[in-house]
PDB file of all heavy atoms in Angstrom:
ATOM      1  N   LEU A  53     225.708  90.737 159.157  1.00  0.00           N
ATOM      2  CA  LEU A  53     225.043  90.357 157.942  1.00  0.00           C
ATOM      3  C   LEU A  53     223.740  89.595 158.281  1.00  0.00           C
ATOM      4  O   LEU A  53     222.717  89.771 157.579  1.00  0.00           O
ATOM      5  CB  LEU A  53     225.974  89.470 157.120  1.00  0.00           C
ATOM      6  CG  LEU A  53     225.557  89.064 155.738  1.00  0.00           C
ATOM      7  CD1 LEU A  53     225.469  90.286 154.857  1.00  0.00           C
ATOM      8  CD2 LEU A  53     226.562  88.092 155.184  1.00  0.00           C
ATOM      9  N   VAL A  54     223.740  88.757 159.307  1.00  0.00           N
ATOM     10  CA  VAL A  54     222.608  88.012 159.702  1.00  0.00           C
ATOM     11  C   VAL A  54     221.666  88.837 160.581  1.00  0.00           C
ATOM     12  O   VAL A  54     220.405  88.845 160.408  1.00  0.00           O
ATOM     13  CB  VAL A  54     222.963  86.714 160.495  1.00  0.00           C
ATOM     14  CG1 VAL A  54     221.794  85.963 160.990  1.00  0.00           C
ATOM     15  CG2 VAL A  54     223.850  85.868 159.586  1.00  0.00           C
ATOM     16  N   ARG A  55     222.241  89.621 161.453  1.00  0.00           N
ATOM     17  CA  ARG A  55     221.402  90.457 162.335  1.00  0.00           C
ATOM     18  C   ARG A  55     220.546  91.425 161.609  1.00  0.00           C
ATOM     19  O   ARG A  55     219.394  91.628 162.017  1.00  0.00           O
ATOM     20  CB  ARG A  55     222.323  91.258 163.296  1.00  0.00           C
ATOM     21  CG  ARG A  55     222.964  90.521 164.387  1.00  0.00           C
ATOM     22  CD  ARG A  55     223.783  91.510 165.171  1.00  0.00           C
ATOM     23  NE  ARG A  55     224.903  90.948 165.813  1.00  0.00           N
ATOM     24  CZ  ARG A  55     225.133  91.002 167.098  1.00  0.00           C
ATOM     25  NH1 ARG A  55     224.373  91.632 167.875  1.00  0.00           N
ATOM     26  NH2 ARG A  55     226.179  90.410 167.534  1.00  0.00           N
ATOM     27  N   THR A  56     221.126  92.029 160.553  1.00  0.00           N
ATOM     28  CA  THR A  56     220.449  93.129 159.862  1.00  0.00           C
ATOM     29  C   THR A  56     219.535  92.686 158.708  1.00  0.00           C
ATOM     30  O   THR A  56     218.782  93.455 158.165  1.00  0.00           O
ATOM     31  CB  THR A  56     221.424  94.159 159.350  1.00  0.00           C
ATOM     32  OG1 THR A  56     222.363  93.535 158.461  1.00  0.00           O
ATOM     33  CG2 THR A  56     222.173  94.791 160.504  1.00  0.00           C
ATOM     34  N   ASN A  57     219.635  91.405 158.315  1.00  0.00           N
ATOM     35  CA  ASN A  57     218.873  90.947 157.144  1.00  0.00           C
ATOM     36  C   ASN A  57     217.888  89.839 157.560  1.00  0.00           C
ATOM     37  O   ASN A  57     218.327  88.794 157.996  1.00  0.00           O
ATOM     38  CB  ASN A  57     219.768  90.453 156.031  1.00  0.00           C
ATOM     39  CG  ASN A  57     220.552  91.643 155.415  1.00  0.00           C
ATOM     40  OD1 ASN A  57     219.980  92.477 154.842  1.00  0.00           O
ATOM     41  ND2 ASN A  57     221.861  91.591 155.585  1.00  0.00           N
ATOM     42  N   ARG A  58     216.622  90.114 157.334  1.00  0.00           N
ATOM     43  CA  ARG A  58     215.584  89.116 157.755  1.00  0.00           C
ATOM     44  C   ARG A  58     215.364  88.100 156.692  1.00  0.00           C
ATOM     45  O   ARG A  58     214.599  87.105 156.930  1.00  0.00           O
ATOM     46  CB  ARG A  58     214.274  89.824 158.063  1.00  0.00           C
ATOM     47  CG  ARG A  58     214.412  90.698 159.273  1.00  0.00           C
ATOM     48  CD  ARG A  58     213.071  91.356 159.586  1.00  0.00           C
ATOM     49  NE  ARG A  58     213.170  92.085 160.833  1.00  0.00           N
ATOM     50  CZ  ARG A  58     212.149  92.677 161.384  1.00  0.00           C
ATOM     51  NH1 ARG A  58     210.991  92.614 160.848  1.00  0.00           N
ATOM     52  NH2 ARG A  58     212.344  93.296 162.503  1.00  0.00           N
ATOM     53  N   HIS A  59     215.888  88.254 155.520  1.00  0.00           N
ATOM     54  CA  HIS A  59     215.595  87.380 154.410  1.00  0.00           C
ATOM     55  C   HIS A  59     216.890  87.029 153.658  1.00  0.00           C
ATOM     56  O   HIS A  59     217.782  87.872 153.519  1.00  0.00           O
ATOM     57  CB  HIS A  59     214.636  88.127 153.504  1.00  0.00           C
ATOM     58  CG  HIS A  59     214.020  87.278 152.416  1.00  0.00           C
ATOM     59  ND1 HIS A  59     214.683  86.965 151.277  1.00  0.00           N
ATOM     60  CD2 HIS A  59     212.828  86.678 152.309  1.00  0.00           C
ATOM     61  CE1 HIS A  59     213.904  86.258 150.502  1.00  0.00           C
ATOM     62  NE2 HIS A  59     212.838  85.999 151.141  1.00  0.00           N
ATOM     63  N   PRO A  60     217.052  85.830 153.160  1.00  0.00           N
ATOM     64  CA  PRO A  60     218.275  85.393 152.485  1.00  0.00           C
ATOM     65  C   PRO A  60     218.485  86.240 151.275  1.00  0.00           C
ATOM     66  O   PRO A  60     219.667  86.479 150.857  1.00  0.00           O
ATOM     67  CB  PRO A  60     218.127  83.942 152.200  1.00  0.00           C
ATOM     68  CG  PRO A  60     216.690  83.625 152.475  1.00  0.00           C
ATOM     69  CD  PRO A  60     216.126  84.677 153.337  1.00  0.00           C
ATOM     70  N   MET A  61     217.507  86.753 150.523  1.00  0.00           N
ATOM     71  CA  MET A  61     217.733  87.598 149.393  1.00  0.00           C
ATOM     72  C   MET A  61     218.299  88.926 149.761  1.00  0.00           C
ATOM     73  O   MET A  61     219.094  89.526 149.047  1.00  0.00           O
ATOM     74  CB  MET A  61     216.408  87.765 148.565  1.00  0.00           C
ATOM     75  CG  MET A  61     215.976  86.499 147.823  1.00  0.00           C
ATOM     76  SD  MET A  61     217.272  85.876 146.686  1.00  0.00           S
ATOM     77  CE  MET A  61     217.272  87.124 145.456  1.00  0.00           C
ATOM     78  N   ALA A  62     217.978  89.409 150.921  1.00  0.00           N
ATOM     79  CA  ALA A  62     218.551  90.645 151.430  1.00  0.00           C
ATOM     80  C   ALA A  62     220.059  90.442 151.719  1.00  0.00           C
ATOM     81  O   ALA A  62     220.883  91.370 151.487  1.00  0.00           O
ATOM     82  CB  ALA A  62     217.847  91.133 152.675  1.00  0.00           C
ATOM     83  N   VAL A  63     220.376  89.284 152.238  1.00  0.00           N
ATOM     84  CA  VAL A  63     221.786  88.891 152.475  1.00  0.00           C
ATOM     85  C   VAL A  63     222.531  88.975 151.103  1.00  0.00           C
ATOM     86  O   VAL A  63     223.584  89.580 151.018  1.00  0.00           O
ATOM     87  CB  VAL A  63     221.895  87.510 153.124  1.00  0.00           C
ATOM     88  CG1 VAL A  63     223.374  87.071 153.116  1.00  0.00           C
ATOM     89  CG2 VAL A  63     221.326  87.534 154.530  1.00  0.00           C
ATOM     90  N   ARG A  64     221.957  88.365 150.129  1.00  0.00           N
ATOM     91  CA  ARG A  64     222.540  88.316 148.746  1.00  0.00           C
ATOM     92  C   ARG A  64     222.758  89.807 148.292  1.00  0.00           C
ATOM     93  O   ARG A  64     223.869  90.099 147.756  1.00  0.00           O
ATOM     94  CB  ARG A  64     221.695  87.604 147.753  1.00  0.00           C
ATOM     95  CG  ARG A  64     222.284  87.643 146.336  1.00  0.00           C
ATOM     96  CD  ARG A  64     221.520  86.945 145.323  1.00  0.00           C
ATOM     97  NE  ARG A  64     221.660  85.480 145.531  1.00  0.00           N
ATOM     98  CZ  ARG A  64     220.967  84.584 144.860  1.00  0.00           C
ATOM     99  NH1 ARG A  64     220.124  84.906 143.956  1.00  0.00           N
ATOM    100  NH2 ARG A  64     221.151  83.303 145.090  1.00  0.00           N
ATOM    101  N   GLY A  65     221.759  90.626 148.451  1.00  0.00           N
ATOM    102  CA  GLY A  65     221.914  92.031 148.043  1.00  0.00           C
ATOM    103  C   GLY A  65     223.078  92.744 148.710  1.00  0.00           C
ATOM    104  O   GLY A  65     223.879  93.446 148.095  1.00  0.00           O
ATOM    105  N   ASP A  66     223.156  92.580 150.051  1.00  0.00           N
ATOM    106  CA  ASP A  66     224.305  93.164 150.754  1.00  0.00           C
ATOM    107  C   ASP A  66     225.656  92.658 150.275  1.00  0.00           C
ATOM    108  O   ASP A  66     226.574  93.446 150.107  1.00  0.00           O
ATOM    109  CB  ASP A  66     224.202  92.896 152.292  1.00  0.00           C
ATOM    110  CG  ASP A  66     223.333  93.890 152.975  1.00  0.00           C
ATOM    111  OD1 ASP A  66     222.797  94.833 152.339  1.00  0.00           O
ATOM    112  OD2 ASP A  66     223.202  93.781 154.218  1.00  0.00           O
ATOM    113  N   LEU A  67     225.706  91.366 150.013  1.00  0.00           N
ATOM    114  CA  LEU A  67     226.984  90.804 149.575  1.00  0.00           C
ATOM    115  C   LEU A  67     227.328  91.231 148.163  1.00  0.00           C
ATOM    116  O   LEU A  67     228.500  91.449 147.819  1.00  0.00           O
ATOM    117  CB  LEU A  67     226.919  89.270 149.665  1.00  0.00           C
ATOM    118  CG  LEU A  67     226.887  88.756 151.164  1.00  0.00           C
ATOM    119  CD1 LEU A  67     226.506  87.294 151.168  1.00  0.00           C
ATOM    120  CD2 LEU A  67     228.257  89.021 151.845  1.00  0.00           C
ATOM    121  N   GLN A  68     226.306  91.388 147.273  1.00  0.00           N
ATOM    122  CA  GLN A  68     226.608  91.898 145.948  1.00  0.00           C
ATOM    123  C   GLN A  68     227.083  93.310 145.981  1.00  0.00           C
ATOM    124  O   GLN A  68     227.909  93.665 145.124  1.00  0.00           O
ATOM    125  CB  GLN A  68     225.310  91.725 145.079  1.00  0.00           C
ATOM    126  CG  GLN A  68     225.065  90.280 144.702  1.00  0.00           C
ATOM    127  CD  GLN A  68     223.697  90.156 143.943  1.00  0.00           C
ATOM    128  OE1 GLN A  68     222.774  90.945 144.141  1.00  0.00           O
ATOM    129  NE2 GLN A  68     223.601  89.035 143.224  1.00  0.00           N
ATOM    130  N   ARG A  69     226.608  94.078 146.890  1.00  0.00           N
ATOM    131  CA  ARG A  69     227.104  95.474 147.016  1.00  0.00           C
ATOM    132  C   ARG A  69     228.532  95.478 147.530  1.00  0.00           C
ATOM    133  O   ARG A  69     229.319  96.396 147.242  1.00  0.00           O
ATOM    134  CB  ARG A  69     226.162  96.304 147.906  1.00  0.00           C
ATOM    135  CG  ARG A  69     224.892  96.699 147.245  1.00  0.00           C
ATOM    136  CD  ARG A  69     224.085  97.705 148.140  1.00  0.00           C
ATOM    137  NE  ARG A  69     223.454  97.055 149.287  1.00  0.00           N
ATOM    138  CZ  ARG A  69     222.347  96.314 149.212  1.00  0.00           C
ATOM    139  NH1 ARG A  69     221.806  96.120 148.060  1.00  0.00           N
ATOM    140  NH2 ARG A  69     221.832  95.813 150.321  1.00  0.00           N
ATOM    141  N   LEU A  70     228.855  94.445 148.346  1.00  0.00           N
ATOM    142  CA  LEU A  70     230.219  94.360 148.888  1.00  0.00           C
ATOM    143  C   LEU A  70     231.242  94.106 147.737  1.00  0.00           C
ATOM    144  O   LEU A  70     232.302  94.717 147.730  1.00  0.00           O
ATOM    145  CB  LEU A  70     230.305  93.187 149.877  1.00  0.00           C
ATOM    146  CG  LEU A  70     231.703  92.869 150.458  1.00  0.00           C
ATOM    147  CD1 LEU A  70     232.055  93.949 151.512  1.00  0.00           C
ATOM    148  CD2 LEU A  70     231.651  91.481 151.062  1.00  0.00           C
ATOM    149  N   SER A  71     230.866  93.170 146.828  1.00  0.00           N
ATOM    150  CA  SER A  71     231.784  92.935 145.728  1.00  0.00           C
ATOM    151  C   SER A  71     231.017  92.238 144.591  1.00  0.00           C
ATOM    152  O   SER A  71     230.079  91.423 144.838  1.00  0.00           O
ATOM    153  CB  SER A  71     232.880  91.953 146.198  1.00  0.00           C
ATOM    154  OG  SER A  71     233.681  91.550 145.108  1.00  0.00           O
ATOM    155  N   PRO A  72     231.394  92.479 143.347  1.00  0.00           N
ATOM    156  CA  PRO A  72     230.743  91.845 142.275  1.00  0.00           C
ATOM    157  C   PRO A  72     231.281  90.362 142.081  1.00  0.00           C
ATOM    158  O   PRO A  72     230.681  89.568 141.348  1.00  0.00           O
ATOM    159  CB  PRO A  72     231.145  92.633 141.040  1.00  0.00           C
ATOM    160  CG  PRO A  72     232.398  93.419 141.437  1.00  0.00           C
ATOM    161  CD  PRO A  72     232.318  93.590 142.923  1.00  0.00           C
ATOM    162  N   SER A  73     232.392  90.070 142.758  1.00  0.00           N
ATOM    163  CA  SER A  73     233.006  88.704 142.647  1.00  0.00           C
ATOM    164  C   SER A  73     232.618  87.837 143.833  1.00  0.00           C
ATOM    165  O   SER A  73     232.424  88.275 144.903  1.00  0.00           O
ATOM    166  CB  SER A  73     234.533  88.873 142.553  1.00  0.00           C
ATOM    167  OG  SER A  73     234.889  89.693 141.544  1.00  0.00           O
ATOM    168  N   TRP A  74     232.594  86.549 143.469  1.00  0.00           N
ATOM    169  CA  TRP A  74     232.184  85.577 144.530  1.00  0.00           C
ATOM    170  C   TRP A  74     233.227  85.394 145.644  1.00  0.00           C
ATOM    171  O   TRP A  74     232.895  85.283 146.797  1.00  0.00           O
ATOM    172  CB  TRP A  74     231.928  84.231 143.884  1.00  0.00           C
ATOM    173  CG  TRP A  74     230.734  84.135 143.011  1.00  0.00           C
ATOM    174  CD1 TRP A  74     229.864  85.191 142.802  1.00  0.00           C
ATOM    175  CD2 TRP A  74     230.287  83.077 142.212  1.00  0.00           C
ATOM    176  NE1 TRP A  74     228.841  84.794 141.945  1.00  0.00           N
ATOM    177  CE2 TRP A  74     229.133  83.463 141.529  1.00  0.00           C
ATOM    178  CE3 TRP A  74     230.773  81.829 142.015  1.00  0.00           C
ATOM    179  CZ2 TRP A  74     228.426  82.720 140.688  1.00  0.00           C
ATOM    180  CZ3 TRP A  74     230.064  81.025 141.142  1.00  0.00           C
ATOM    181  CH2 TRP A  74     228.910  81.392 140.474  1.00  0.00           C
ATOM    182  N   GLN A  75     234.473  85.358 145.276  1.00  0.00           N
ATOM    183  CA  GLN A  75     235.550  85.068 146.269  1.00  0.00           C
ATOM    184  C   GLN A  75     235.569  86.093 147.453  1.00  0.00           C
ATOM    185  O   GLN A  75     235.575  85.685 148.587  1.00  0.00           O
ATOM    186  CB  GLN A  75     236.900  84.880 145.651  1.00  0.00           C
ATOM    187  CG  GLN A  75     237.960  84.398 146.621  1.00  0.00           C
ATOM    188  CD  GLN A  75     237.632  83.027 147.191  1.00  0.00           C
ATOM    189  OE1 GLN A  75     236.931  82.216 146.664  1.00  0.00           O
ATOM    190  NE2 GLN A  75     238.144  82.817 148.414  1.00  0.00           N
ATOM    191  N   PRO A  76     235.570  87.376 147.136  1.00  0.00           N
ATOM    192  CA  PRO A  76     235.550  88.344 148.275  1.00  0.00           C
ATOM    193  C   PRO A  76     234.294  88.153 149.157  1.00  0.00           C
ATOM    194  O   PRO A  76     234.338  88.362 150.355  1.00  0.00           O
ATOM    195  CB  PRO A  76     235.576  89.693 147.572  1.00  0.00           C
ATOM    196  CG  PRO A  76     236.118  89.416 146.253  1.00  0.00           C
ATOM    197  CD  PRO A  76     235.711  88.063 145.879  1.00  0.00           C
ATOM    198  N   ARG A  77     233.175  87.768 148.521  1.00  0.00           N
ATOM    199  CA  ARG A  77     231.935  87.553 149.284  1.00  0.00           C
ATOM    200  C   ARG A  77     232.110  86.427 150.230  1.00  0.00           C
ATOM    201  O   ARG A  77     231.781  86.490 151.464  1.00  0.00           O
ATOM    202  CB  ARG A  77     230.745  87.302 148.393  1.00  0.00           C
ATOM    203  CG  ARG A  77     230.360  88.477 147.476  1.00  0.00           C
ATOM    204  CD  ARG A  77     229.159  88.038 146.667  1.00  0.00           C
ATOM    205  NE  ARG A  77     229.119  88.794 145.404  1.00  0.00           N
ATOM    206  CZ  ARG A  77     228.347  88.449 144.417  1.00  0.00           C
ATOM    207  NH1 ARG A  77     227.617  87.335 144.392  1.00  0.00           N
ATOM    208  NH2 ARG A  77     228.348  89.169 143.303  1.00  0.00           N
ATOM    209  N   ARG A  78     232.636  85.268 149.724  1.00  0.00           N
ATOM    210  CA  ARG A  78     232.880  84.105 150.556  1.00  0.00           C
ATOM    211  C   ARG A  78     233.795  84.426 151.689  1.00  0.00           C
ATOM    212  O   ARG A  78     233.594  84.044 152.852  1.00  0.00           O
ATOM    213  CB  ARG A  78     233.409  82.962 149.667  1.00  0.00           C
ATOM    214  CG  ARG A  78     232.399  82.303 148.841  1.00  0.00           C
ATOM    215  CD  ARG A  78     232.914  81.042 148.257  1.00  0.00           C
ATOM    216  NE  ARG A  78     233.965  81.297 147.295  1.00  0.00           N
ATOM    217  CZ  ARG A  78     233.875  81.164 145.951  1.00  0.00           C
ATOM    218  NH1 ARG A  78     232.727  80.713 145.439  1.00  0.00           N
ATOM    219  NH2 ARG A  78     234.898  81.423 145.145  1.00  0.00           N
ATOM    220  N   GLU A  79     234.879  85.144 151.366  1.00  0.00           N
ATOM    221  CA  GLU A  79     235.873  85.472 152.435  1.00  0.00           C
ATOM    222  C   GLU A  79     235.276  86.346 153.498  1.00  0.00           C
ATOM    223  O   GLU A  79     235.537  86.209 154.684  1.00  0.00           O
ATOM    224  CB  GLU A  79     237.136  86.151 151.784  1.00  0.00           C
ATOM    225  CG  GLU A  79     237.945  85.208 150.961  1.00  0.00           C
ATOM    226  CD  GLU A  79     239.064  85.940 150.199  1.00  0.00           C
ATOM    227  OE1 GLU A  79     239.220  87.137 150.353  1.00  0.00           O
ATOM    228  OE2 GLU A  79     239.737  85.196 149.427  1.00  0.00           O
ATOM    229  N   HIS A  80     234.381  87.293 153.121  1.00  0.00           N
ATOM    230  CA  HIS A  80     233.729  88.138 154.070  1.00  0.00           C
ATOM    231  C   HIS A  80     232.843  87.301 154.985  1.00  0.00           C
ATOM    232  O   HIS A  80     232.813  87.520 156.178  1.00  0.00           O
ATOM    233  CB  HIS A  80     232.901  89.161 153.364  1.00  0.00           C
ATOM    234  CG  HIS A  80     232.058  90.063 154.239  1.00  0.00           C
ATOM    235  ND1 HIS A  80     232.650  91.065 155.022  1.00  0.00           N
ATOM    236  CD2 HIS A  80     230.757  90.023 154.509  1.00  0.00           C
ATOM    237  CE1 HIS A  80     231.688  91.615 155.752  1.00  0.00           C
ATOM    238  NE2 HIS A  80     230.523  91.021 155.474  1.00  0.00           N
TER     239      HIS A  80
END
Side-chain angles (χ1 to χ4, degrees):
L53 187 65
V54 177
R55 285 181 211 237
T56 58
N57 292 297
R58 294 182 175 185
H59 191 277
M61 288 304 291
V63 170
R64 177 180 287 175
D66 273 2
L67 291 168
Q68 286 173 337
R69 283 187 288 282
L70 176 76
S71 173
S73 302
W74 292 355
Q75 189 58 30
R77 294 181 207 165
R78 285 190 293 250
E79 289 172 4
H80 176 75

